[in-house]
Amino acid sequence: MKLQPRPWLERIQPYRPGRAAASSDGSMASNESPLGASSHVARALATASRRVHRYPDPLADDLRILLAERHGVEPDQILVGNGSDELIFLLAWAYLAQDGHAVCADPAYRIDEISTYLVDARLTKVPLRDWAHDLEAMATVGADIAYVVNPHNPTGTIRSRADIEIFVKTSSAGLIVVDEAYVDFADDPDDLTAMPLVGSGRVAVLRTFSKVYGLAGLRIGYLVAPKPVVATLRKTRAPFSVGALAQAGAIAAIRDRAHWSEVRSHTLRCRREVQQLFEQAGYLVAPSQANFVLVEAPYEDALVTRLERAGIAVRPGTTLGIPGTVRVSVPSDAGLRLLAQALRAEADRLPASAQTGPK
Ligand SMILES: *Cc1c(COP(=O)(O)O)cnc(C)c1O
């Protein structure tokens, strides 16, 4: 028999990762932490490395207990995954495979889209309104899962918890998945998080160690959900998907509140500065509560190339489903200086009108 991939896989456009820059300071394409991980993480990894001949704890119990305390939920409401991306795939298998239906924003977080197409489910993409989720329009879609990324990637915009609460009441979706990869960078994370809504029985919250904790390379994230959802996903997961080093690193990372605060305050300060640099150079910037900003750039390629020449890698909007924009991750202080130089050079070259251009 001739080997053929399942026909519906043709819909999937492969994920295109951000390009690396010449220097770590110039890396502004993948929303990684410019300050790296807590120094406690390296020590925890060294200790854990002595036991790498053993299989990891399948459910990451030590970490789950810590997380349950932190969020005021029970450990059985938490599932730890190989990055939150793994958990998104598990959700698709369990709730979307064979005739399921998901609703998300357009542009979407790419993994929400890929995982839905993977299981041949229907995806309704609802265009953003003023760069933010149009929850009112999304609520009218009868779907198994509604994905809300808050703050959103790639725009950095938020909808308030009050808005999400109304969405939970009005949406007919079976499960509302709120992806909070960037919630730590919001002006008030406690006020924004949908964690208090998990008790409604229809809300699940995704978190990751890849952003504020700087552990993108370890691959670890988690879901806080109603117990039946966690029990279902446990049936479908690979038992050892989360490595022992990742578990040890995550535990060390969440215990270091000082590092969390430092990354957070650096990000909030530099985000303002990045926004100002682009605005002074004549660009419009979407209001961001994340560790990146989305810049409107009608001449997207020209801006990307110009920044590249200055040693800066950013993410072209075209690769994120939002052409005519460029997504710039909040850099280190040295990265900020690179950016300032590059934009000053550009401002000298082009009149402001040529940069903002016609909409
Ligand atoms: C970065 C990001 C994640 C994190 O994914 P991991 O697999 O945990 O690294 C999740 N959701 C969104 C929207 C993101 O941008």
Side-chain angles (χ1 to χ4, degrees), residues 31 82-86 88 109 149 153 179 181-182 207-211 216 219-221:
N31 302 341
N82 185 277
S84 45
D85 287 353
E86 181 196 15
I88 298 171
Y109 176 51
V149 182
N153 178 9
D179 185 338
Y182 301 99
R207 294 280 183 101
T208 180
F209 285 94
S210 298
K211 306 288 155 59
R219 310 306 305 131
I220 185 162

Side-chain angles (χ1 to χ4, degrees), residues 51 80 188-189 214 253 256 264 268 271 294 304 333 344 359:
R51 291 181 54 81
V80 181
D188 190 343
D256 189 348
R264 186 179 139 73
L268 269 57
R271 180 172 72 204
L294 189 75
V304 170
D333 284 313
R344 212 172 302 126
K359 277 285 283 287

Side-chain angles (χ1 to χ4, degrees), residues 12-33:
I12 301 179
Q13 299 290 326
Y15 182 81
R16 288 158 70 181
R19 282 210 256 154
S23 72
S24 140
D25 289 316
S27 295
M28 303 177 204
S30 298
N31 302 341
E32 295 151 340
S33 175

Side-chain angles (χ1 to χ4, degrees), residues 142-160:
D144 298 285
I145 294 183
Y147 287 107
V148 180
V149 182
N150 206 36
H152 192 33
N153 178 9
T155 58
T157 50
I158 57 164
R159 291 298 305 258
S160 69

